[in-house]
Amino acid sequence: MKTSLIYFILTITSLLSFAQGSLTQPQEKKCKNIIEKVFNKTGLQYNTTQDKDIQRIVSNNKTIGYYSLMNAKGKIGWFKIIIIYSSDLTIKKVYIAEYNETRGGEITNPKYLSKYEGLNAKTQKPKVDAISGATISSNSLKKAIELSNKKLIFAT
Amino acid sequence: MKKRLSFRVKSILLIALVLMGFTSLAQEGAQNTFIGGYAEGSYSQPLQKGVRYNGKADFQRMVLYLGHNFNDRLSFFSEIEVEHSKEIWLEQAFLQYKVIPQLSLKAGNLLIPMGIVNQTHEPNTFNGVFRPTVDNLIIPTTWREMGFGANGRLDCLGIDYQVYMVNSPLSYSDKGLFSANKFMRDARQKAAEAITSNFNYTARLEWNKVPNLKLGLSGYFGKTSSSLYNGLKEDQSSSKADSSVLGISMIEIDAQYKIGALSLRAQGVKSWIDNTSEYNKLTNQKVGSQNYGAYFEASVDILKLASIDTEKELNIFSRYEIYDTQSKVIANIVKDDKLTRNDLTFGLGLKLSSNAVVKADYTITNNKAKTDIPDLLNFGIGLSF
């Protein structure tokens, strides 16, 4: 009961702050390629969890990790973030699948995004600083990762 | 008791499921339509020894963002602004088409990509109750005009670029709209039935390959527009109309850097104005042939410095600005030393969340003519969402 309510509140929160999105076909292909590289495996399967934003990554019938697709608020619209987790819910990679803002493009920089790697969704809160000159997008990115972590915990 | 509880649980679950259904329907809309905004209000009290001044309480801006994605490539974005609780303006409104990830085309009411604050002016993104004076008098923030062009990111180089053709400021309409003390501030047309005798060009490059360091270079080139060209016949002399037009070249550089609790920001801008001799003769203005502005700002987040584990920030900052809206003059104009000014602003900003801030600061302004200028004590709130 408590879980249902929390899940419900998270859904409402995500509606208000982070609309759920979907990937275009090329974006999805790129996402799957990156996941294969991260886990160094091919022929992976993906199952939806009880939260449609969280996908289970399966190899030989064994869950090896998860990934989430989050939409975060930029200044002029949404941008899409992929967060890849290991099976113990540690962030293995964050990347921006789509960014249409006129400014703040540096948040797509892999070196910046790598600061989130190694963070465990269950035990740690993201503490990456906002980028100077890309405050809006980088704060929104952090909040989207926080929400993704919460969703992941309740979906698994 | 057990029965009642079970009924209550079932009811809540049923309501939750119905609401979730609505939520998922609403999310289809939320994917495509975007709402956001920002707001700022202030109280400003001039202070001068031996003189009493009234203060000014103002809700400067309440801005609503409204955007819509038509599909993965085509989108619309707008900022609708209520200024000083009474004027309604359209601060931005453009259609954007993403050709490839590195290139988008846009057309409509565009921000001139000049400097830091003209483009990113949400009150939680800059220190101080008010925007820097350089971003008011030299770069006439919020500077926007109708235009079209391209923008995008060259990821391998770590460069964001913008290139636009925009309609020009209006230097003459019954009177001269450029002035010695406000430069082109009153000449902005703000996409409101803009008179267009000339289109101008503007571009910006931002290098941000290294996280937390951003370097910007902006340019703006062209000629102003004048109402005197309208209806001018081929056999009529255009000399009066030609005298009412100014040439503008503006170059700007800026840098932003953040390390730990320390944030640094610097900006410099210089303009060259042609045809001022003829223009000043026609309009009785004293527009300078050159102007400049620059500032340096440092801020420290005290809470971070004290290693306090919180989302809040308490930024103490100081900003020093130099600017002159009439740094050089030609012909018979005498340079006004009152326009060679500097501002020292210091204060603090408490960010209650990353998007909401309470501010207080104090500004001391001096000029080369050593005129007594009241200091300003300012308080403000700012937020974006």
Side-chain angles (χ1 to χ4, degrees), chain A residues 59-72:
Chain A
S59 172
N60 297 326
N61 296 324
K62 197 181 152 200
T63 300
I64 59 166
Y66 301 88
Y67 82 89
S68 68
L69 164 62
M70 302 299 293
N71 270 9

Side-chain angles (χ1 to χ4, degrees), chain B residues 246-265:
Chain B
L246 294 164
I248 306 171
S249 304
M250 188 186 272
I251 295 284
E252 183 271 354
I253 52 168
D254 57 77
Q256 295 173 80
Y257 183 63
K258 192 171 181 179
I259 181 164
L262 177 70
S263 297
L264 302 172
R265 196 178 258 211

Side-chain angles (χ1 to χ4, degrees), chain A residues 1-148:
Chain A
M1 178 60 207
K2 195 182 163 199
T3 313
S4 309
L5 270 176
I6 292 169
Y7 181 69
F8 175 64
I9 290 163
L10 283 175
T11 311
I12 295 288
T13 315
S14 73
L15 167 70
L16 293 173
S17 317
F18 307 95
Q20 291 168 337
S22 58
L23 294 173
T24 61
Q25 268 188 349
Q27 285 169 353
E28 191 163 341
K29 198 176 162 194
K30 191 181 168 191
C31 172
K32 302 279 162 74
N33 281 341
I34 288 175
I35 291 170
E36 287 184 355
K37 262 190 202 164
V38 165
F39 289 98
N40 201 18
K41 283 180 194 293
T42 53
L44 298 174
Q45 291 171 310
Y46 302 94
N47 301 329
T48 308
T49 62
Q50 57 174 302
D51 187 324
K52 70 174 183 176
D53 287 343
I54 310 285
Q55 297 281 319
R56 184 177 282 111
I57 305 165
V58 178
S59 172
N60 297 326
N61 296 324
K62 197 181 152 200
T63 300
I64 59 166
Y66 301 88
Y67 82 89
S68 68
L69 164 62
M70 302 299 293
N71 270 9
K73 221 173 182 182
K75 168 149 179 179
I76 68 164
W78 307 102
F79 60 97
K80 297 176 186 173
I81 306 160
I82 302 288
I83 306 145
I84 302 167
Y85 299 88
S86 62
S87 55
D88 69 349
L89 313 192
T90 299
I91 294 177
K92 287 183 77 85
K93 192 170 184 69
V94 175
Y95 86 95
I96 310 292
E98 185 179 290
Y99 191 77
N100 294 326
E101 301 288 309
T102 310
R103 303 187 74 216
E106 61 265 44
I107 74 152
T108 61
N109 186 334
K111 206 170 161 185
Y112 172 70
L113 294 170
S114 70
K115 292 181 180 179
Y116 285 100
E117 287 170 16
L119 184 98
N120 190 280
K122 274 185 186 164
T123 55
Q124 293 162 297
K125 274 188 88 174
K127 279 185 185 165
V128 178
D129 284 342
I131 297 184
S132 177
T135 321
I136 297 168
S137 298
S138 46
N139 280 332
S140 191
L141 170 76
K142 185 156 85 174
K143 283 182 184 167
I145 291 174
E146 274 174 7
L147 184 64
S148 169

Side-chain angles (χ1 to χ4, degrees), chain B residues 341-355:
Chain B
R341 289 166 275 184
N342 63 67
D343 287 2
L344 174 66
T345 304
F346 51 89
L348 47 88
L350 173 64
K351 281 193 180 173
L352 300 163
S353 94
S354 57
N355 293 329

Side-chain angles (χ1 to χ4, degrees), chain B residues 326-341:
Chain B
Q326 192 206 41
S327 61
K328 274 199 177 169
V329 291
I330 53 172
N332 298 320
I333 305 292
V334 178
K335 179 174 166 19
D336 186 351
D337 280 346
K338 289 201 290 295
L339 302 178
T340 309
R341 289 166 275 184

